[in-house]
């Protein structure tokens, strides 16, 4: 049976140890997915669209455009990672390294493609009046409208909207994304996948940097996973998340060496009444707000 468990308490008080224990105890689960904040890629060649697989579908759409077919441009023509359609001056990076005397080298927009990453011939091919560089420059929100009737693209964009990432650009380089954004991109990927069997999801502070309205959306997503029979364990200090969990594990009593023990555990309303819990007071307030 799916349960949404929130691990909370004084910051840093042994949460990694606890997650280790939880993981071992639940070794019987079919699959363990840790949705962490590690970058989705370390170079600007990796971006939101390439990581999610969205770009494969977008390139197929472009290869199917009338002008592309007339010219014999295939899917590979619309990649900035291989020769053919990309700008060769910057090799599809969109920028070039500038060597400076006595200073570390720096990056400047490519003088040939002006950051577009493609050669002029590739950019002549348009789909609904936009070329591939202009599509990469669209936000998730704008692209969702643009591709509304292209089913596989629309589905993928809908999950990104669901985790509050509508403001990101499709071509946003992996190197420009925050840890929280990287984590939500991974979560969107999980939500999109067809899941069979029981999965345990581990999330470390997924609300970091998230707008309160988006926290609500995220919670709906996590409860969706639980309703589908999966287990979600989330380490979180945002009390609206803790209040919305099925089960709460409160760690303390202090931080660092003074912590690491379970101070209280149970449904949120019960932990809110627990004596000796620093969290209880904040949780009580969050529960009152939620009513
Ligand atoms: Zn270039």
């Amino acid at each position: 049976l799916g349960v949404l468990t929130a691990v909370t308490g004084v910051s840093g008080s042994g949460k990694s140890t606890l997650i280790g224990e939880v993981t071992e105890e639940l070794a019987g689960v079919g699959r363990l997915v840790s949705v962490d904040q590690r970058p989705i890629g370390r170079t600007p060649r990796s971006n939101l669209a390439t990581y999610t697989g969205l770009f494969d579908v977008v390139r197929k759409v472009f290869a199917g455009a009338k002008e592309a077919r007339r010219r014999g441009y295939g899917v590979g023509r619309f990649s900035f990672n291989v020769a053919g359609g990309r700008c060769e001056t910057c090799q599809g990076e969109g920028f070039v390294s500038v060597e400076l005397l006595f200073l570390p080298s720096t990056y400047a927009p490519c003088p040939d493609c002006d950051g577009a990453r493609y050669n002029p011939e590739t950019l002549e091919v348009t789909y609904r009046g936009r070329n591939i560089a202009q599509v990469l420059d669209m936000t998730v929100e704008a692209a969702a409208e643009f591709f509304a009737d292209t089913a596989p693209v629309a589905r993928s964009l809908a999950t990104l909207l669901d985790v509050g990432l509508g403001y990101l650009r499709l071509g946003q380089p992996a190197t420009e994304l925050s840890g929280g954004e990287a984590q939500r991109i991974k979560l969107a990927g999980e939500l999109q996948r067809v899941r069979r069997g029981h999965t345990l999801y581990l999330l470390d502070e997924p609300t970091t940097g998230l707008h309160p309205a988006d926290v609500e959306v995220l919670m709906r997503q996590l409860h969706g996973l639980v309703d589908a029979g999966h287990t979600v364990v989330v380490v979180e200090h945002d009390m609206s998340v803790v209040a919305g969990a099925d089960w709460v594990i409160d760690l303390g009593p202090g931080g660092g060496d003074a912590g690491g023990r379970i101070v209280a555990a149970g449904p949120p309303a019960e932990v809110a009444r627990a004596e000796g819990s620093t969290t209880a007071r904040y949780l009580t307030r969050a529960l009152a707000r939620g009513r």
Side-chain angles (χ1 to χ4, degrees):
L1 196 80
V3 176
L4 176 55
T5 299
V7 179
T8 189
V10 184
S11 152
S13 56
K15 68 186 181 193
S16 52
T17 325
L18 189 100
I19 282 197
E21 279 169 22
V22 167
T23 316
E24 260 171 51
E25 240 172 73
L26 295 173
V29 297
R31 204 164 67 101
L32 169 71
V33 178
S34 177
V35 190
D36 57 31
Q37 302 207 351
R38 274 199 295 263
I40 58 164
R42 299 198 178 277
T43 75
R45 288 202 179 275
S46 175
N47 62 41
L48 178 63
T50 59
Y51 180 84
T52 53
L54 192 70
F55 200 44
D56 296 337
V57 194
V58 169
R59 287 191 294 132
K60 256 184 227 149
V61 168
F62 270 89
K66 205 165 139 203
E67 183 60 17
R69 279 185 284 140
R70 197 183 66 78
R71 295 181 183 201
Y73 289 177
V75 174
R77 178 83 198 193
F78 299 95
S79 165
F80 50 78
N81 285 327
V82 293
R86 71 180 183 189
C87 162
E88 278 312 314
T89 307
C90 62
Q91 299 201 311
E93 294 219 346
F95 48 83
V96 288
S97 170
V98 183
E99 305 294 331
L100 296 170
L101 209 55
F102 308 120
L103 283 169
S105 57
T106 178
Y107 289 98
C110 170
D112 268 0
C113 67
D114 204 20
R117 306 179 139 205
Y118 294 91
N119 58 39
E121 293 74 29
T122 308
L123 296 178
E124 276 163 20
V125 176
T126 57
Y127 173 73
R128 292 181 178 169
R130 302 290 176 92
N131 64 37
I132 189 92
Q134 287 166 331
V135 166
L136 279 173
D137 211 33
M138 283 181 189
T139 61
V140 168
E141 203 166 15
E145 207 169 295
F146 189 74
F147 288 110
D149 52 2
T150 312
V153 190
R155 242 196 326 268
S156 180
L157 289 167
T159 52
L160 288 166
L161 282 175
D162 282 346
V163 293
L165 293 175
Y167 62 93
L168 289 183
R169 283 179 296 109
L170 298 195
Q172 195 122 15
T175 46
E176 283 179 14
L177 300 167
S178 73
E181 287 166 343
Q183 186 180 41
R184 288 198 291 284
I185 290 169
K186 291 174 196 176
L187 182 65
E190 279 301 321
L191 292 169
Q192 207 186 323
R193 212 160 286 158
V194 182
R195 294 169 299 268
R196 253 179 270 128
H198 181 217
T199 303
L200 166 64
Y201 294 93
L202 283 180
L203 291 99
D204 194 357
E205 301 197 42
T207 65
T208 307
L210 214 55
H211 185 275
D214 288 327
V215 171
E216 245 171 75
V217 177
L218 180 75
M219 282 305 277
R220 271 207 295 281
Q221 295 298 320
L222 297 182
H223 277 296
L225 288 172
V226 169
D227 292 343
H230 304 292
T231 300
V232 178
V233 176
V234 47
V235 177
E236 191 51 79
H237 295 107
D238 182 318
M239 281 303 133
S240 64
V241 171
V242 178
D246 301 310
W247 194 261
V248 178
I249 298 172
D250 183 25
L251 294 179
D257 288 345
R261 286 194 294 112
I262 295 176
V263 176
E270 219 169 273
V271 172
R273 287 191 302 268
E275 274 178 45
S277 161
T278 316
T279 309
R281 191 159 29 111
Y282 302 101
L283 185 53
T284 304
R285 245 179 264 159
L287 285 168
R289 266 199 305 273
R291 254 171 220 130

